[in-house]
């Protein structure tokens, strides 16, 4: 769901949820004792999340939860600029 009329390129904190198709457990398993064990795909999600700020200078990462079939995270858009053509750009030119 998106808030009608809101510009999601604005500076601020955003809560992001990504679910796998058909709720397939692609990122790992929860063991009988309740421990989460990420597989290679789950570890890749964590690594890519941690690399976001390096890839996008105007972005800072916050909390991340990787479950077997979904990901929750908070990302901050901190530095938004507008180009001469009116397009939005993150970070430095």
């Amino acid at each position: 769901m998106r808030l009608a009329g809101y510009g999601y390129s604005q500076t601020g904190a955003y809560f992001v949820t990504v679910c796998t198709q058909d709720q397939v457990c692609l990122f790992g398993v929860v063991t009988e004792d309740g421990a989460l064990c990420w597989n290679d795909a789950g570890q890749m999600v964590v690594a890519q999340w941690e690399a976001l700020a390096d890839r996008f200078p105007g972005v800072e990462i916050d909390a991340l939860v990787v479950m077997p079939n979904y990901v929750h995270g908070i990302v901050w858009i901190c530095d938004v600029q507008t180009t001469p053509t009116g397009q939005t750009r993150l970070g430095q030119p």
Side-chain angles (χ1 to χ4, degrees):
M1 293 220 135
R2 293 180 180 247
L3 180 61
Y6 184 80
Y8 285 92
S9 61
Q10 295 182 62
T11 300
Y14 294 87
F15 182 79
V16 178
T17 298
V18 178
C19 300
T20 62
Q21 185 173 349
D22 300 323
Q23 298 183 350
V24 175
C25 293
L26 298 177
F27 306 129
V29 297
V30 176
T31 64
E32 288 182 21
D33 63 353
L36 176 62
C37 293
W38 294 324
N39 58 20
D40 289 343
Q43 292 173 14
M44 178 186 64
V45 168
V46 173
Q48 291 303 309
W49 178 263
E50 291 173 348
L52 279 177
D54 295 331
R55 293 180 59 205
F56 302 99
V59 169
E60 292 181 17
I61 57 170
D62 204 314
L64 176 68
V65 175
V66 179
M67 296 302 289
N69 59 352
Y70 64 88
V71 176
H72 290 306
I74 299 173
V75 63
W76 289 81
I77 297 179
C78 301
D79 183 18
V80 179
Q81 300 174 0
T82 304
T83 67
T85 60
Q87 295 178 326
T88 301
R89 174 176 55 210
L90 296 176
Q92 300 300 317

